[in-house]
């Protein structure tokens, strides 16, 4: 299957490797044999500057796609993207974990779009953990409610991954929450409160949620 990328994750600001420059990062990627990279916070925002630096080292950008309908219409969403994009410029990042998590056969998507897969994530899925997560901690949610939790957490994850501001900001993608957790009147900057509750609902126990909060503080 031609066109596969080895992927290198760029350093996170303030984390391991944060002292390295953009030039050092991509140079060492190339020396290690990597041909693709996701965009990091140190990467030039100007496309022409970025393209020049990467082209000199034989590296291309591998963009990752995150499903917003992972639990309800995973195949339909992928097919829509494939049908409405140019194969010359847009290819599929195939993630086995995404499809296995929602109960679909990952190989079915490979068979249909093998010619457009240029990047692969291989992941293990533990069925007993998936089942535990889907049951939730405080309520037995409907599929619609559970899907809204996963979608909202995914949106927050993507905002954080791209260094977007989340404080004092309206986030329009909000999950369904329990009546006992609803605030009247609603917060002026709506969204983050509900997403944090969705994260709480997805924890397997109250103790696990408390530990998560302590680690944040």
């Amino acid at each position: 299957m031609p066109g596969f990328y080895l992927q290198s994750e760029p350093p996170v600001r303030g984390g391991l490797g944060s002292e390295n420059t953009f030039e050092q990062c991509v140079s060492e990627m190339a020396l290690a044999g990597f041909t693709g990279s996701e965009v990091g916070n140190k990467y030039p925002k100007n496309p022409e500057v970025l393209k020049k630096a990467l082209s000199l080292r034989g590296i291309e950008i591998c963009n990752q796609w995150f499903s917003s309908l992972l639990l309800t219409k995973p195949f339909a969403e992928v097919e829509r993207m494939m049908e409405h994009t140019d194969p010359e410029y847009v290819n599929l990042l195939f993630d086995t974990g995404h499809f296995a998590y929602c109960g679909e056969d990952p190989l079915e998507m490979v068979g249909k779009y093998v010619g457009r897969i240029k990047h692969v994530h291989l992941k293990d899925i533990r069925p007993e953990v998936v089942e535990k997560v889907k049951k939730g901690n405080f309520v037995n949610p409907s599929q619609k409610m559970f899907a809204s939790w996963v979608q909202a957490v995914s949106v927050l994850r993507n905002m954080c991954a791209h260094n977007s501001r989340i404080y004092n900001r309206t986030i329009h993608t909000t999950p369904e929450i329990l009546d006992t957790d609803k605030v009247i009147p609603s917060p002026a900057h709506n969204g983050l409160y509900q997403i944090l509750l969705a994260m709480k609902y997805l924890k397997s126990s109250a103790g696990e949620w408390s530990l998560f909060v302590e680690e944040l503080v």
Side-chain angles (χ1 to χ4, degrees):
M1 193 182 301
F4 274 97
Y5 288 101
L6 292 172
Q7 178 189 356
S8 178
E9 297 280 357
V12 176
R13 181 177 298 160
L16 182 65
S18 60
E19 72 279 4
N20 298 328
T21 64
F22 161 70
E23 290 78 10
Q24 181 181 352
C25 291
V26 292
S27 293
E28 292 187 2
M29 286 178 195
L31 289 172
F34 289 100
T35 58
S37 170
E38 293 186 22
V39 174
N41 61 74
K42 294 184 178 182
Y43 284 38
K45 300 298 186 290
N46 186 314
E48 294 301 321
V49 175
L50 178 60
K51 181 179 179 181
K52 181 179 179 180
L54 297 181
S55 296
L56 287 171
R57 298 166 175 86
I59 297 176
E60 294 183 47
I61 293 298
C62 302
N63 292 317
Q64 185 168 1
W65 162 77
F66 295 93
S67 172
S68 59
L69 299 173
L70 179 61
L71 296 179
T72 54
K73 300 177 182 178
F75 279 7
E77 193 169 26
V78 173
E79 289 173 342
R80 183 180 180 185
M81 183 180 74
M82 293 290 95
E83 290 172 3
H84 292 84
T85 54
D86 190 334
E88 184 177 351
Y89 301 107
V90 179
N91 292 284
L92 180 64
L93 187 161
F94 174 67
D95 192 310
T96 58
H98 287 186
F99 291 109
Y101 182 86
C102 64
E104 300 287 358
D105 181 7
L107 294 180
E108 184 178 341
M109 189 57 64
V110 172
K112 188 167 185 178
Y113 294 111
V114 63
R116 294 186 68 177
I117 295 176
K118 276 204 170 183
H119 193 41
V120 176
H121 284 180
L122 298 176
K123 298 176 182 174
D124 289 329
I125 293 292
R126 292 171 290 173
E128 68 280 5
V129 176
V130 172
E131 186 62 26
K132 187 177 181 181
V133 170
K134 288 184 177 180
K135 286 181 178 179
N137 180 35
F138 302 94
V139 65
N140 184 20
S142 65
Q143 184 181 38
K144 180 182 177 183
M145 176 178 278
F146 182 73
S148 76
W149 297 349
V150 175
Q151 180 180 4
V153 173
S154 176
V155 168
L156 180 61
R157 181 268 174 211
N158 293 344
M159 291 172 62
C160 294
H162 295 284
N163 302 303
S164 298
R165 177 174 61 85
I166 60 175
Y167 175 72
N168 204 31
R169 170 179 179 173
T170 298
I171 305 175
H172 297 288
T173 301
T174 55
E176 296 181 26
I177 62 175
L178 305 181
D179 289 340
T180 54
D181 290 326
K182 292 181 179 178
V183 176
I184 300 175
S186 298
H189 296 279
N190 205 24
L192 184 58
Y193 170 76
Q194 289 90 335
I195 295 176
L196 290 174
L197 282 173
M199 294 172 66
K200 182 179 181 180
Y201 298 154
L202 291 169
K203 291 293 183 180
S204 60
S205 68
E208 186 178 339
W209 171 253
S210 297
L211 180 61
F212 172 75
V213 172
E214 290 174 4
E215 290 175 345
L216 285 181
V217 176

